[in-house]
C-alpha cells in the first residue's frame, strides 16, 4: 500500500464552548486518528467573532499546525500584527492586497520534515462580501504551491453550497483535499472526486449545538422575528467537536480516504 499522510481538520471553533471542546478532546483525537498534520478554523473562536494571539498559541500547543480563517478574520484588529509576523495563521487569500496576513503557505510535516503540506484559505462571494474571485485566486496559488509540494489542503469559507461544490470540481486534480467552512452545519457528502480531490461541502462547527449555529437561540429567533439587529452571543450546552479526517497519498497528492468527524456525537431523540 502506498505511503500516506493523515490530516485532521477542526471545523469552525465557536467561542468558549468550541475552545473548551478543542482543549479537552483534540489531543486524544490526534492520537486516535494518528494525524500527521492538523488544521483548525478559528475565525469564530474569540467571543464568536474573530480570534486573538492567546487562542492561536493555545491551538499550536494542542498540536494544531495551521489556523485558518474566513469573513471574521479581521474582526479583532489586535491580531493583525501577529498575522503579519507568522504564516501559521492564514486568512482568505482573495481579500484585496494590503490586508494583514497570508492566504496560503507551505509547511513541513513534524517528524516527516522531508514532506510538506500546502494550505490555502479562500472565501466565497455568493451572499458574502464583495471581494476578489476565489476561483482565479485558487488557480494562481495552487500553481505556486505545486512547485514545492503536491499535498495541498484547501479551506473554502463560503455561504453557498453551489459555490463550494463548483470550486471543488474546478480544483479536482490540482489539490488533495477541500473542505467547506462557514455554514457551521456538517454535510453528508464527503467523497473523493474523479481526479483525486477529497471533498466535503461543510466540515461543521466545534461549539454548542444547543444553539443556532453556535449562537444563543433566543437572540437568533428574535432577530428573525423582528427583523431588527440583536447582538449575537455564543451559546452553551451540548458541545460537539466537528471536523474532517483525510488520508493523502504522499507520492501522487491524491486523497485516498475522507470522512466527517463529530465527537462525542449527536443524539437522535425519537418520540414515543
Amino acid at each position: 500500500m502506498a505511503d500516506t499522510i493523515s490530516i485532521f481538520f477542526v471545523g469552525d471553533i465557536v467561542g468558549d464552548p468550541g475552545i473548551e471542546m478543542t482543549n479537552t478532546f483534540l489531543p486524544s483525537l490526534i492520537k486516535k486518528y494518528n494525524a500527521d498534520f492538523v488544521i483548525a478554523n478559528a475565525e469564530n473562536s474569540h467571543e464568536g467573532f474573530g480570534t486573538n494571539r492567546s487562542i492561536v498559541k493555545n491551538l499550536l500547543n494542542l498540536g494544531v499546525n495551521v489556523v485558518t480563517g474566513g469573513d471574521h478574520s479581521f474582526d479583532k484588529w489586535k491580531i493583525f500584527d501577529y498575522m503579519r509576523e507568522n504564516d501559521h495563521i492564514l486568512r482568505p487569500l482573495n481579500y484585496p492586497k494590503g490586508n494583514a496576513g497570508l492566504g496560503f503557505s507551505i509547511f513541513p510535516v513534524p517528524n516527516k520534515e522531508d514532506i510538506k503540506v500546502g494550505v490555502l484559505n479562500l472565501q466565497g462571494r455568493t451572499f458574502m462580501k464583495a471581494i476578489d474571485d476565489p476561483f482565479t485566486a485558487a488557480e494562481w496559488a495552487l500553481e505556486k504551491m505545486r512547485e514545492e509540494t503536491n499535498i495541498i489542503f484547501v479551506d473554502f469559507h463560503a455561504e453557498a453550497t453551489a459555490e463550494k461544490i463548483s470550486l471543488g470540481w474546478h480544483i479536482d486534480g490540482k489539490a488533495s483535499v477541500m473542505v467547506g467552512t462557514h455554514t457551521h452545519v456538517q454535510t453528508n457528502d464527503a467523497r473523493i472526486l474523479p481526479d483525486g480531490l477529497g471533498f466535503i461541502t461543510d466540515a461543521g462547527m466545534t461549539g454548542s449545538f444547543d444553539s443556532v449555529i453556535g449562537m444563543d437561540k433566543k437572540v437568533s429567533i428574535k432577530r428573525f422575528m423582528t427583523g431588527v439587529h440583536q447582538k449575537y452571543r455564543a451559546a452553551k450546552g451540548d458541545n460537539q467537536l466537528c471536523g474532517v479526517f483525510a488520508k493523502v497519498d504522499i507520492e501522487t497528492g491524491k486523497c485516498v480516504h475522507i470522512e466527517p468527524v463529530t465527537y462525542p456525537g449527536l443524539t437522535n431523540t425519537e418520540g414515543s
Side-chain angles (χ1 to χ4, degrees):
M1 185 176 179
D3 289 336
T4 61
I5 179 173
S6 298
I7 301 174
F8 192 88
F9 178 81
V10 182
D12 298 65
I13 300 170
V14 183
D16 289 343
I19 294 169
E20 183 180 314
M21 286 298 294
T22 307
N23 285 341
T24 304
F25 295 110
L26 181 59
S28 60
L29 289 171
I30 291 173
K31 290 181 181 179
K32 176 182 177 179
Y33 289 96
N34 196 24
D36 300 302
F37 198 81
V38 182
I39 306 163
N41 186 295
E43 64 121 28
N44 295 128
S45 57
H46 185 210
E47 301 173 339
F49 304 94
T51 191
N52 61 34
R53 293 173 186 239
S54 63
I55 290 172
V56 174
K57 290 179 179 179
N58 175 62
L59 291 173
L60 297 178
N61 289 333
L62 291 173
V64 173
N65 302 103
V66 186
V67 176
T68 54
D71 58 314
H72 294 296
S73 286
F74 302 105
D75 281 11
K76 304 292 168 63
W77 63 269
K78 289 183 179 180
I79 194 68
F80 291 2
D81 286 344
Y82 189 87
M83 291 169 67
R84 292 187 181 99
E85 296 163 1
N86 298 278
D87 68 349
H88 55 249
I89 176 171
L90 302 178
R91 49 78 169 175
L93 173 66
N94 54 314
Y95 270 84
K97 291 182 180 179
N99 282 299
L102 300 173
F104 72 91
S105 195
I106 296 172
F107 307 88
V109 177
N111 304 318
K112 296 183 179 181
E113 295 193 1
D114 55 327
I115 301 171
K116 297 179 180 179
V117 175
V119 182
L120 169 61
N121 197 184
L122 296 164
Q123 183 174 312
R125 297 192 293 182
T126 305
F127 310 127
M128 298 186 77
K129 297 173 184 175
I131 57 176
D132 297 339
D133 171 26
F135 289 76
T136 302
E139 290 175 354
W140 176 81
L142 292 172
E143 184 177 351
K144 289 285 186 182
M145 285 191 286
R146 287 178 69 86
E147 293 174 2
E148 294 189 51
T149 181
N150 59 1
I151 304 172
I152 299 174
F153 187 101
V154 181
D155 175 352
F156 187 32
H157 200 78
E159 183 78 30
T161 55
E163 188 176 19
K164 296 179 189 180
I165 295 168
S166 294
L167 184 69
W169 285 111
H170 187 62
I171 65 174
D172 184 24
K174 301 174 185 175
S176 306
V177 180
M178 186 195 118
V179 301
T181 55
H182 179 65
T183 54
H184 291 200
V185 179
Q186 190 178 82
T187 53
N188 194 32
D189 62 339
R191 53 180 167 152
I192 300 173
L193 300 185
D195 290 328
L197 178 77
F199 173 87
I200 186 170
T201 300
D202 201 280
M205 72 170 190
T206 297
S208 169
F209 272 59
D210 186 15
S211 71
V212 175
I213 61 171
M215 296 294 128
D216 182 87
K217 301 190 298 287
K218 292 181 180 178
V219 173
S220 298
I221 293 167
K222 193 171 183 180
R223 285 172 67 109
F224 283 111
M225 290 186 70
T226 65
V228 176
H229 176 77
Q230 310 284 328
K231 184 179 180 180
Y232 276 131
R233 59 177 181 265
K236 297 179 181 179
D238 191 18
N239 299 338
Q240 304 284 335
L241 188 152
C242 291
V244 175
F245 172 64
K247 289 186 176 182
V248 176
D249 184 290
I250 293 172
E251 183 177 351
T252 66
K254 295 180 183 295
C255 183
V256 297
H257 176 84
I258 185 169
E259 66 177 274
V261 175
T262 301
Y263 189 85
L266 301 176
T267 302
N268 292 323
T269 303
E270 297 182 1
S272 55

